[in-house]
Amino acid sequence: MIKLENIHKSYKMGSSALHVLKGINFEVESGELVAIMGSSGSGKSTLLNILGMLDIADKGLYQLDGTPIEKLNEKRAARYRNHFLGFVFQSFNLINYKSALENVALPLYYQGVGRKERQKSAMELLERVGLEPWAKHLPNELSGGQKQRVAIARALVSKPKVVLADEPTGALDSKTSYEVMELIKEINNEGKTILVVTHERDISQMCNRIVRLRDGEVAEDFLTSNRVINH
Amino acid sequence: MFDRDRWVEIFETIRKNKLRTVLSGFTVALGIFIFVILYGLGNGLKNTFQQFFLDDAENVLFVRPGRTSIPYKGYKSGRRIEFVNSDISDIEGQFRYFIEYMTPRIFSSVRATYETESENYSNISVGPDHQYIEKTVMMYGRYINEQDLVTREKYAVIGRLVALDLFGQLDVVGHYIDLNGFAYRVIGVFQDSGGDNVERTIYTPYTTQQLLNKSTDKISMFAVTFRKELGHRGSIIFENKLRQYLKEKKVISPRDPRGVWINNLADSLKRNQQFAGALQTIVSVVGIGTLIAGIIGISNIMVFVVKERTKELGIRKAIGASPRSVITMVLQESILITTFSGYAGLFLGILMLSSVGERLDEYFITNPYINLNTAIFATIVLVVCGGIAGYIPAKRAASIKPIVALRDE
């Protein structure tokens, strides 16, 4: 599903350059639930940004579902993001003046899906994450866990090939974190490929596979016991 | 552009961000409102000015007799000069190629009575040419003619307001009115754009007046218009030649600054036109200033609005909005708001002007109005500038990478 070969990325810091990713190689199969771990500064956010086409690698090959992701202009990046990817952010990033239902439906608006159909799909997904009664509520009327469920529903509504979650539990207490991770696992069990960036060990242990980054390189890449149970 | 779904999205955004909508809408509406009001009042001031000064024919010379101040050819100084009828015909003969119209004027005031109504008016006794010099417009009947002068008829041409005062109606030709004890037949009713005072005047034949003044042939002054082809410089030459001629005729020292007074309207007209031009400039500067203030206001708000939305736009981009769709969304929204509120400001301003317009006469503001094209142009300028002011930050916001826009503060 995802194939990375020799990905390099550096940021200019005045006269010197900060080499963040120093040749990342790994592949993700369809249906995997992968945790990307690493301490701050290890390059995990940069990697996620490149995976999410929010940023462009200086060098290397990135293939998503067989499509080489290259020569990205803003317009193409937007289209790829819209069709291939769903995002879940640490701070939820819901539009605060739109109801839960409208937030979930928004990606479909940018796909050009009709209004009725958008609402229907969005409602189905809210049901799926257990927030049907909250559909008309604004984000600030929801708890953190509920907001993240809305964000997950939004990430799924466009039927993406891959869901990228950036510290999805970072702003949540541990109980809610586990609930959200359970939801993510359920969705993964339905066949969706999911990458979770986290620095919390217990969260990463809930995934099937852990890729640990250190200083811009893949330091460890191993399967957790979960995978055995799932298959 | 005409995608219904997109407009639904925009209307929803507008409805759910009332403060933002009201702020930018109010700025534009206020800008246009003030522009319309100020421009209208400026125009009103200009109208008053034009009514006061630019009503009469522009090529008029008023010639008045005075007192000499220098002894000359055996005459003492301080001698009173007088004009008589023969002066008119002599000047007409002498300056045939300069003169367009010419009339004597004798001023008096009369008490006019019709049945029970009685009122004091100014009476100017004139010749037929006076109609063209004063730009008098006849509503009913006719003006004084040459025949009236010869037969010295007791005929009166009365102003519109005289007719209304005395008769309560306008079509009063053929009625007789009493002027200082003499019965005059009303032969015409006139109107004049020079204001109420002019329309409270009674014109009579100057020969009739001279008959009443114990058969003299004296005249108070005369008004003469020169041919327009002469232009301003020609009028000065004519003025100087006329003064020279009259001084010779009345035996006044060529160096005497008094004796004959000539008021050349072309001169004062030029000054007045310069003043009117200055007024116009002030009106325009005020208008443009208001517009610029409005543009700055709407620009500030657009910058603020886009800044406030940076995160939202970042979210939209992360979930698949193209930069172009982000920009057009911001632009369409701002243009929609500014157009509607601009129209509202325009409408309110014009409504305000027309409702107070009548009552501002005493403040020297006549018929304050704004040319609709000017007003619409101003609105469009403001809408376009609001659009540009929104476009620049919107383009920047759209080009910010979503990760930057979404970064937590």
Side-chain angles (χ1 to χ4, degrees), chain A residues 49 54-55 74-75 78 81-82 87 89 91 93-95 97-98 102 106-107 109-110 113 115 118 154, chain B residues 5-6 8-9 12-13 16-17 311-312 315-321 323 325 401-403 406 408:
Chain A
N49 289 337
L54 300 170
D55 211 343
E74 284 278 1
K75 196 175 157 190
R81 277 199 294 272
N82 193 232
F87 286 94
F89 301 96
S91 52
N93 282 334
L94 301 174
I95 292 176
Y97 63 84
K98 284 181 176 289
E102 289 167 331
L106 199 57
Y109 167 75
Y110 287 113
V113 178
R115 187 171 184 79
R118 291 206 302 264
R154 182 180 64 184
Chain B
D5 223 27
R6 178 179 280 181
V8 170
E9 175 77 13
E12 251 173 38
T13 312
K16 288 177 178 168
N17 294 279
K311 184 155 187 177
E312 180 203 328
I315 296 171
R316 284 178 184 271
K317 281 188 73 182
I319 60 176
S325 82
K401 286 178 185 157
I403 30 161
L406 296 177
D408 294 303

Side-chain angles (χ1 to χ4, degrees), chain B residues 157-168:
Chain B
V157 176
I158 64 175
R160 186 177 65 91
L161 294 176
V162 178
L164 285 179
D165 288 350
L166 296 180
F167 295 89

Side-chain angles (χ1 to χ4, degrees), chain A residues 103-134:
Chain A
N103 264 293
V104 175
L106 199 57
L108 295 179
Y109 167 75
Y110 287 113
Q111 281 187 357
V113 178
R115 187 171 184 79
K116 281 230 177 77
E117 212 177 316
R118 291 206 302 264
Q119 304 261 358
K120 192 167 151 278
S121 307
M123 204 48 156
E124 280 170 14
L125 272 156
L126 278 179
E127 275 173 51
R128 171 70 190 80
V129 300
L131 284 176
E132 197 189 359
W134 301 88

Side-chain angles (χ1 to χ4, degrees), chain A residues 204-223:
Chain A
S204 67
Q205 288 300 327
M206 296 175 79
C207 299
N208 311 138
R209 177 180 162 194
I210 296 173
V211 175
R212 192 185 298 278
L213 299 186
R214 187 175 294 137
D215 300 329
E217 286 173 329
V218 177
E220 288 176 277
D221 185 350
F222 58 95
L223 300 180

Side-chain angles (χ1 to χ4, degrees), chain B residues 24 38 59 80 109 147 173 191 219 225 255 340 364 385:
Chain B
S24 47
L38 285 182
N59 46 346
R80 181 190 285 280
S109 84
Q147 189 59 37
V173 173
Q191 58 183 355
I219 53 181
T225 59
R255 288 175 293 113
F340 272 91
F364 301 106
C385 289

